[in-house]
Amino acid sequence: MTETFILIPGRTSRQGAAMNAGKNSDDYRAEISTLQMNPADMARLGLSDGERAILRTAQGHVAVTVQAVKRADDLPEGLVFLPYGRLSSQIASAETQGTGMPESKGFEVEIIVNDDR
């Protein structure tokens, strides 16, 4: 199953705390590879907390772990959040719209769920 969402990357407080242990720490790697989603979107895709999915854009694809936000109001349906890091950079657009700064927020991403889980 595949569905298109809008990805909003950003920083998290947990990411900042894990960075103190280093970017190679297990906590930091786990934080930057966890996609936060609205529970209704996860239910529609048949995903549960801790399951894996693929994020795909024209630039490439990455595997992430999915996690429901605690309050559905924190992240509206159709939007997903991935902390800035190696994975979000791999799928970000190189397009700058003439600004010199690559687009890093609000771009379309396909979520691919492996039905053979």
Side-chain angles (χ1 to χ4, degrees):
M1 170 180 272
T2 302
E3 190 171 326
T4 301
F5 291 82
I6 300 297
L7 178 64
I8 308 294
R11 299 258 182 247
T12 69
S13 57
R14 187 168 180 262
Q15 178 182 19
M19 216 163 26
N20 288 333
K23 289 186 176 183
N24 290 322
S25 71
D26 290 341
D27 285 343
Y28 184 82
R29 284 192 300 245
E31 184 69 8
I32 65 167
S33 63
T34 300
L35 181 75
Q36 295 178 21
M37 297 181 72
N38 183 288
D41 289 332
M42 286 180 62
R44 190 175 57 259
L45 292 172
L47 288 167
S48 298
D49 283 346
E51 289 191 304
R52 305 281 286 168
I54 303 292
L55 297 183
R56 180 173 60 191
T57 67
Q59 284 64 46
H61 65 277
V62 295
V64 295
T65 301
V66 297
Q67 176 82 39
V69 292
K70 294 187 184 347
R71 293 176 356 131
D73 292 348
D74 288 344
L75 191 62
E77 289 183 47
L79 293 179
V80 292
F81 177 85
L82 183 66
Y84 280 133
R86 182 179 57 85
L87 298 183
S88 66
S89 294
Q90 283 181 247
I91 59 172
S93 173
E95 179 58 52
T96 66
Q97 304 296 330
T99 67
M101 180 71 167
E103 291 179 343
S104 65
K105 288 191 178 285
F107 55 89
E108 288 188 352
V109 61
E110 290 181 311
I111 296 180
I112 304 165
V113 178
N114 180 357
D115 292 327
D116 296 334
R117 291 173 278 160

